[in-house]
Amino acid sequence: MKKKIVIVLGVVAVLAIIGALIFSAYRSSETYRKEKASIQWDCSVTCAEKSANDEDVITYSDVRVTSKTGTLTIQNRNDFDIVVHLLCEGEQEMVSDAIPSGGSYSFLKITDKEYTVGVHADVNEKTAIQVFIYDGKDTVPYTK
């Protein structure tokens, strides 16, 4: 009888350890981070003025963004390419690659400071530029 109890307790302990390992692996997964990083900001702007040949115009959003996950993902919801600038006092400006229509770009190794978002697009003055930012890495393309 004692031998059966020891075997049952041993099996329960092994299953508990396996369960803890699986839970730990899930908490460190990208899926879990996406679920926890559901914060999004609408950083859409209206183009301040058309860029000239020798100067790009950057239109700044009034929205301030921060990251709890260390990654901010930009989603381009336009029919044209954009470039996003993240500015933080005391830090070097970060600039994305050109983000194609419907595409996304992730800034990695983001600190927990507040960032101001600037957007550049080669469009006419007063053109609406739709940009969403997610806290976390979410590179699923936007579809209308």
Side-chain angles (χ1 to χ4, degrees):
M1 183 73 161
K2 282 186 172 183
K3 196 171 189 178
K4 287 182 181 179
I5 292 173
V6 171
I7 292 172
V8 168
L9 289 176
V11 169
V12 169
V14 169
L15 290 176
I17 292 170
I18 291 171
L21 290 173
I22 290 171
F23 183 70
S24 175
Y26 172 71
R27 285 187 53 110
S28 65
S29 72
E30 187 66 27
T31 303
Y32 179 78
R33 284 194 298 272
K34 282 183 185 179
E35 289 174 4
K36 298 303 278 181
S38 59
I39 299 170
Q40 74 174 22
W41 297 270
D42 182 349
C43 295
S44 299
V45 294
T46 301
C47 183
E49 63 182 275
K50 186 172 176 63
S51 295
N53 287 341
D54 58 344
E55 184 178 314
D56 289 339
V57 173
I58 301 169
T59 306
Y60 294 95
S61 171
D62 293 333
V63 179
R64 310 276 268 162
V65 299
T66 59
S67 176
K68 294 180 181 179
T69 64
T71 302
L72 289 174
T73 299
I74 315 302
Q75 190 178 68
N76 180 359
R77 295 189 172 191
N78 303 288
D79 295 333
F80 47 82
D81 294 355
I82 63 171
V83 174
V84 173
H85 299 250
L86 292 182
L87 299 125
C88 180
E89 189 174 325
E91 291 191 16
Q92 184 175 354
E93 176 183 25
M94 291 182 274
V95 181
S96 72
D97 296 335
I99 306 170
S101 172
S104 60
Y105 180 89
S106 293
F107 287 100
L108 305 175
K109 298 180 183 175
I110 299 293
T111 64
D112 59 356
K113 296 179 182 177
E114 280 190 334
Y115 291 87
T116 300
V117 180
V119 183
H120 164 72
D122 286 323
V123 293
N124 292 323
E125 183 179 353
K126 298 185 180 175
T127 300
I129 305 172
Q130 295 181 327
V131 179
F132 276 71
I133 297 183
Y134 297 86
D135 185 11
K137 188 171 182 175
D138 184 4
T139 55
V140 176
Y142 171 72
T143 54
K144 293 180 183 179

